[in-house]
Amino acid sequence: RTSADALISLAKVLKKYTIRREIYYSCRDVAKKMKDMSEDSSYSDIINHADSIFNEKINMYESGDSKPEHIAEEMEFLIEERGNNPIEEFDLVGPYEKLHEIYGSLLRPGNISVLVARSGVGKTAFCMNFATKIALMHNVPILHFDNGEMSKEELIMRQTAALAKVPMHLLETGKWRQHSEETVKKVREVWSKIKDLKFYYYNVGGMSSDEMINTLRRFYYSTIGRGNPLVFSFDYIKPSSKMEKGQSEWQQIGEMVDKFKTCIHKEILHDGLPVIPMITSVQSNRQGITNNRAAENVVDDESIVSLSDRITQYCSHLFILRKKTTDEIVDEGEHFGTHKLINLKSRHLGKDIAGALEPVRVGDQLRRNFINFEFKNFDIEERGDLRDI
């Protein structure tokens, strides 16, 4: 007879042998595919075929059988097991307390959080600030794709200005050393803060959605490693110059969002579960303009989301970020910040559900809740919500 321990040990050996054999076969299939591919195949097609053949087999072994699963059979175990081992928070806790309490984590693996804003309002600043603070809080790496509008040096200057809380022009000109001892101290205190910061930048301007996803996939497996966490920041959703003949902008954007969602939700997995959350932004259409408008004339609904309805369809959280109008700053008070973040869609919520679902009574009116933010020198501070006002 074989003991239980010996049987388990033997099973582990056989499992590893099987996986090695299947990976060997996958490599052989990749080699055969590379030989058979047409000389006219694009760079993107070559990489995509190799990735698909190799990683599909590994994902199958990690997630088990690729067939429909009977969830009722696991329901009792999952809920009771979570009850036996309760957790304080679900997924990455964000840097803004009120935002996290109301809407929960904006960085759930396999999910996309989207910020809608007009040009120049601060969508890049918000996403960069959010991702950088998340990386520092949780020691998780960030992969930041820039869609051709912000250089690496510009991002470095912005990040340093936000972390040091010093004017960016002092950093850009190099005059921060001559400004004051306090400025020099603030800047140099940043170096110890970012010692373990893992923030990777890649300029994807002009790349197709397939090329971007291939880059994301290769970076994850080669640099981060299978099963390890990664936050994917994409600045921002807009049409690519590589548009197929007869394809409209909204079709291209819809396809791009669909492919990003598929990649982080179904393709890059560990133990059958996604590991990468995505935060991104999109420019609002002209209905989202707030300059020289009173608050009563500002549009704060889904109609301002530009380019494609699939952005709203595929995201888990959707927010409008806009500057406060002059009359809003007067009515609400300057200490409640310069910007407001208004939720349009939430697939998940935090522990303060009322803050998300229940309207706030202001005088004789009921209004949708929002969160206040102060934007100053690329640093961003939360200033409560409408209930606090």
Side-chain angles (χ1 to χ4, degrees), residues 202-250:
Y202 200 93
N203 189 331
V204 296
M207 293 173 67
S208 68
S209 54
D210 284 333
E211 289 170 335
M212 286 188 278
I213 287 167
N214 286 334
T215 301
L216 166 61
R217 188 187 292 117
R218 291 198 307 275
F219 174 84
Y220 179 75
Y221 288 124
S222 65
T223 304
I224 304 303
R226 181 177 294 272
N228 294 318
L230 171 71
V231 172
F232 176 43
S233 169
F234 181 51
D235 185 32
Y236 57 95
I237 298 172
K238 68 175 185 178
S240 167
S241 58
K242 292 188 176 180
M243 189 176 295
E244 296 180 10
K245 188 176 181 180
Q247 188 180 44
S248 64
E249 281 191 357
W250 66 266

Side-chain angles (χ1 to χ4, degrees), residues 110-124:
N111 288 259
I112 303 175
S113 290
V114 179
L115 207 67
V116 186
R118 286 296 292 174
S119 178
V121 165
K123 57 183 181 291
T124 298

